[in-house]
Amino acid sequence: MTADAGRGDADRSDAEAGGGLGSRELAAAAAIALAVVLATAAFPMLVDARAAYEIPVERQAGAGDLAEPTGDAWESVETVSVPLSSSGAAVPGGSDATVDSAGVAAARTDERLYLRLSWDDGTANTSTDSLRAFADAAAVQLPVSTEKQPPIAMGSADDRVNVWYWNGADGTESLLAGGAGSTTRLPESAVEATATHTGDRWAVVFSRSLASDRANVTDVDDGEDVNAAFAVWEGSNDERSGQKAASEWYYLSLGPDDGGAPYETVLWAIAGAAVVFTTLVTVEGVRRTRGE
């Protein structure tokens, strides 16, 4: 027997005699505890990444004046600042959009969804009478199938999108798209919009009944979150068509509010257990080092 083997046997005998953990067991236990603590710390950050894209939807007993952009009913509704970016070099002039953010607020009754978009704009462009005149505009994009998240640029042939579109000169319409350049106007749109320009800011409220009995129209289920994206056109900057400022996908939190995600309780329990276990491992290591 070699000296190293003899020391290994002695370590095992000491561990067995004292009822403690061997060096390998201590190392493995410490590694497991560290992994659990790191996972516990990292997982909430992943969840927060989703939370950062949430548009809370406030449930209200009645419609009141939600259809009015400056209605008192909006005072209690949280507004989320949504960053917007230019559509990019693929579109002529697409890198020059001027609106960099929009405020988005959402409310619902038992029958109807209301979305309020607001953004800074020092000029109200509501006429297209001259050759180089373009109207201010705004849009909300929703997936036709709420179970999928389509490509952000007007969806695709397999994952189509509905677009609620408001134009300062032409009013409101509902569109269907299956990719860039495939926009089709839906007849008899159920989408309504009201707009107000006050001071240096536009505010537009889109609304539509939650349920839809039509094909190719998003059926909003009050028990499921719904993806949504937003866009703004600045008429005084000659923005139109694909030249716009647009957001990434966000989601409307229409799902049930059950007082907080249950994973939080589980994670805190795991964190507590990990801390206790790590402490015990440390104490055992100190004890063995002292030869107790």
Side-chain angles (χ1 to χ4, degrees):
M1 179 183 295
T2 65
D4 289 341
R7 283 195 297 270
D9 290 341
D11 287 344
R12 286 193 292 274
S13 298
D14 289 344
E16 292 170 358
L21 298 174
S23 57
R24 290 184 179 179
E25 287 82 356
L26 283 171
I32 293 172
L34 179 61
V36 171
V37 171
L38 292 176
T40 304
F43 191 71
M45 294 194 308
L46 296 176
V47 174
D48 287 344
R50 172 171 164 78
Y53 289 89
E54 177 187 10
I55 306 294
V57 181
E58 181 174 300
R59 191 178 194 124
Q60 298 200 5
D65 56 2
L66 284 172
E68 299 300 323
T70 57
D72 293 339
W74 289 106
E75 293 181 1
S76 65
V77 182
E78 180 181 351
T79 297
V80 176
S81 180
V82 173
L84 304 177
S85 59
S86 300
S87 49
V91 177
S95 300
D96 300 326
T98 56
V99 181
D100 58 10
S101 67
V104 180
R108 53 152 298 187
T109 63
D110 288 340
E111 299 178 351
R112 202 166 185 85
L113 175 66
Y114 297 83
L115 295 175
R116 182 182 186 271
L117 273 64
S118 58
W119 65 96
D120 291 333
D121 186 351
T123 59
N125 302 101
T126 58
S127 173
T128 56
D129 290 343
S130 64
L131 181 62
R132 296 296 302 174
F134 302 96
D136 298 329
V140 177
Q141 177 176 274
L142 306 171
V144 169
S145 171
T146 57
E147 297 179 355
K148 298 180 179 180
Q149 188 180 86
I152 192 66
M154 306 300 284
S156 67
D158 295 327
D159 296 315
R160 292 163 292 181
V161 297
N162 282 163
V163 178
W164 301 355
Y165 179 74
W166 167 84
N167 181 289
D170 301 324
T172 309
E173 56 186 348
S174 183
L175 308 171
L176 175 68
S182 65
T183 305
T184 301
R185 184 176 181 273
L186 291 171
E188 301 178 3
S189 171
V191 178
E192 298 177 3
T194 306
T196 300
H197 189 270
T198 305
D200 293 333
R201 196 168 179 83
W202 272 112
V204 181
V205 173
F206 295 89
S207 69
R208 204 210 75 183
S209 60
L210 291 175
S212 173
D213 58 359
R214 302 176 59 190
N216 294 318
V217 174
T218 307
D219 190 6
V220 180
D221 186 338
D222 64 359
E224 295 182 0
D225 296 340
V226 177
N227 289 304
F230 313 95
V232 171
W233 290 259
E234 170 55 84
S236 63
N237 191 44
D238 295 345
E239 295 175 22
R240 72 276 190 192
S241 193
Q243 183 183 355
K244 61 188 177 184
S247 77
E248 296 295 328
W249 282 113
Y250 278 66
Y251 72 96
L252 307 175
S253 57
L254 286 154
D257 182 4
D258 48 12
Y263 62 75
E264 292 179 354
T265 302
V266 175
L267 287 177
W268 280 114
I270 293 174
V275 170
V276 171
F277 188 57
T278 304
T279 302
L280 292 175
V281 169
T282 303
V283 170
E284 178 67 12
V286 172
R287 187 187 70 78
R288 284 181 52 77
T289 300
R290 293 178 177 178
E292 298 177 358

